[in-house]
Amino acid sequence: MSERPEFHGESGVRASDVLPAWAAITNWLAVHAPASHATLRPGATGGDVQSVEDGLGAPLPADLVTLLQTCNGTVDASDVERDPDEYDPGLFLAQHHLLPLGAIVAVRGSGESADQFWSDWVPFAVADYAVTPWDGLAVEPGGRLATFSQASGEPPSQPHTEPGHASLAEFLNALAEALTQGTGPLTATATPGFHEGALVWGPLPGDATPWAPAHSENESPAQTAEHAWVDHGATPAGRGS
């Protein structure tokens, strides 16, 4: 296997720094959101990684390899017997699935057009396995993150300011902070909460959808009243019947 650099990104984050953050995320899921924890796949082997790298003709980013050798993505929810109206428990990665190695290959594709679109970027998370063309998050060998959208034909050619993390490790640390403390940059646009034993980012649409924020102590009184209404089906003052 190709030799991998020890540090990545301008912040000098070690690839191994993904592991403490990932442990905090998965430990929290095991206690608070078992349905989401159940979507985690076992880690990939070194042989699995080598096979994908040989197919792509380039090494995967080291921090991504570290993560995938701990957890090789989340279960494809389309293959799991569940109510199609239920929210996908595998979308805990800030409303994305972590892609298994095989799905990374499928999303990236091959050939000259794929190489031109992706360049050095590697997709590692998508909003929905079952819906194509895909959109999601990508990482490059230096560890920077970018969003991509195949539907718009816009390649992840520049580091993206949102989620705005210098490395995969920083992104996972922000996710761990959002889950364990209810704070941080990822909570600016969505709130981690619970729905049917799963971590689901909300608030969810629909008056009768049972959802509760994971950290109601960080909400304003108005937000708490709103979410209590969503969770229990009650109508707060000022709300239509």
Side-chain angles (χ1 to χ4, degrees):
M1 184 177 295
S2 304
E3 183 178 353
R4 302 179 187 284
E6 186 178 17
F7 292 93
H8 300 273
E10 294 179 357
S11 60
V13 176
R14 289 179 183 269
S16 59
D17 285 350
V18 305
L19 297 180
W22 188 249
I25 292 165
T26 56
N27 289 341
W28 188 92
L29 291 175
V31 173
H32 300 285
S36 292
H37 189 269
T39 68
L40 302 176
R41 296 160 57 101
T45 67
D48 295 332
V49 173
Q50 184 69 66
S51 178
V52 167
E53 291 182 326
D54 290 344
L56 295 177
L60 295 171
D63 45 2
L64 180 60
V65 170
T66 299
L67 177 58
L68 293 176
Q69 288 188 313
T70 303
C71 172
N72 188 20
T74 54
V75 171
D76 184 347
S78 66
D79 293 334
V80 179
E81 292 185 5
R82 66 182 180 88
D83 184 340
D85 293 329
E86 290 294 314
Y87 286 85
D88 190 338
L91 289 172
F92 63 84
L93 195 70
Q95 306 182 76
H96 291 84
H97 281 285
L98 177 64
L99 288 172
L101 279 167
I104 288 175
V105 174
V107 171
R108 189 187 186 283
S110 59
E112 184 177 351
S113 61
D115 292 342
Q116 289 177 347
F117 181 89
W118 292 105
S119 185
D120 292 334
W121 295 88
V122 177
F124 73 92
V126 295
D128 195 330
Y129 278 147
V131 177
T132 57
W134 290 287
D135 62 87
L137 303 173
V139 61
E140 52 91 68
R144 299 174 302 172
L145 301 190
T147 61
F148 70 89
S149 174
Q150 291 179 324
S152 66
E154 296 180 1
S157 58
Q158 296 294 328
H160 204 269
T161 56
E162 179 66 40
H165 303 289
S167 69
L168 180 58
E170 286 192 18
F171 173 69
L172 294 177
N173 272 292
L175 179 58
E177 179 183 355
L179 300 187
T180 61
Q181 302 177 42
T183 58
L186 292 180
T187 62
T189 57
T191 302
F194 304 118
H195 172 72
E196 301 293 336
L199 166 62
V200 177
W201 293 76
L204 302 182
D207 296 349
T209 304
W211 180 87
H215 297 277
S216 58
E217 69 275 11
N218 293 332
E219 298 192 313
S220 68
Q223 288 176 312
T224 301
E226 175 73 8
H227 292 155
W229 170 69
V230 171
D231 191 29
H232 300 295
T235 304
R239 225 28 214 261
S241 57

